[in-house]
Amino acid sequence: MNFPDISPELKAAMPELRGRLLGNEPLAPLTWFRVGGPAQVLFTPADEDDLGYFLSRLPPEIPVMCLGLGSNLIVRDGGLPGVAIRLSPRGFGEHRVEGEVVHAGAAALDKRVAETAAAAQLGGLEFYYGIPGSIGGALRMNAGANGRETKDVLIDATAYDRSGTRKLFDNAAMQFSYRHSGADPALIFTSARLRGTPATPDHIRAKMNEVQAHRELAQPIREKTGGSTFKNPAGHSAWRLIDAAGCRGLRIGGAQVSEMHCNFLINTGEATASDIETLGETVRARVKAQSGVELQWEIKRIGIAPDHR
């Protein structure tokens, strides 16, 4: 089932638009889980000016959701009403160094940003080497790994609000907490400036190798997965709670709790978004019953179930 196609009327109202505007575009290929329904409209802006123009002309009643790399995302099977915006590497993927500052577009891969910093002999950003996402997602969820978080390195970030106005946010204004930013969810982040620290190439490379080795040994990185599923509760490790509740290897439909790291869910090949989300909720219920701890989702879930259209 498709949504009503509103893309022609949007195009007509935006004659100077340069980006791609597609109606009922499948989103599953854009997520790491490879599941989910279509976006009513998928917009890929050409650059920041194009994004601002689009938002300024978009009727306020139409909902907007910005997609990142799709590595920490479940799109529900009923699809996403309104507009999904995807920032492309061509228009938003820059990563360059000026002094001790790394400039990174929201579509720049975290790993590439770490490599760019390393090439300039800047340390402190090695943790990004092990995060399978983009800088935009890192800003939205205060992405971190190996004891470091985005809040530890961010100078400021640029974003566009729902009216198409460009705004600058310093570190404090991002209201970072564990795997979360308190910035307005309607903001679409387009770039960031990150602070590095001079370090020797050997020191930086050793840290990056440590990050990569940890991922390869402990995480199912070659599966269709969405990264860490649940946040670590205070004083606990999510995977230990899940393991203690007997959920390692648990399956629902085509979705499975990873045998390798049980805070990862896997699409074994034929899973639906409903399979994956139901499995996650089953894990949460079993952990709650076994330990009294209520796990919180780290993976973002968007869209609607098919029977709610």
Side-chain angles (χ1 to χ4, degrees), residues 173-287:
M174 294 295 291
Q175 303 176 54
F176 284 132
S177 57
Y178 176 61
R179 298 297 178 268
H180 176 73
S181 167
D184 186 347
L187 292 168
I188 298 175
F189 290 101
T190 56
S191 65
R193 294 195 306 152
L194 310 166
R195 176 77 66 187
T197 305
T200 65
D202 288 347
H203 176 81
I204 295 170
R205 180 51 58 183
K207 282 189 169 291
M208 290 169 68
N209 288 343
E210 180 183 335
V211 169
Q212 185 64 21
H214 173 74
R215 288 193 71 229
E216 291 182 352
L217 289 174
Q219 299 176 6
I221 59 177
R222 291 172 179 82
E223 305 283 357
K224 295 176 183 175
T225 184
S228 295
T229 305
F230 303 107
K231 300 176 183 179
N232 288 321
H236 298 278
S237 293
W239 78 264
R240 292 184 186 277
L241 293 170
I242 295 167
D243 206 17
C247 296
R248 185 182 293 268
L250 180 67
R251 294 184 66 133
I252 290 180
Q256 180 180 12
V257 176
S258 171
E259 296 271 9
M260 186 178 195
H261 190 314
C262 50
N263 196 24
F264 284 65
L265 305 184
I266 294 170
N267 175 1
T268 62
E270 301 298 327
T272 63
S274 179
D275 289 341
I276 297 169
E277 189 169 9
T278 300
L279 178 60
E281 289 297 333
T282 301
V283 168
R284 292 182 72 233
R286 292 193 181 187
V287 168

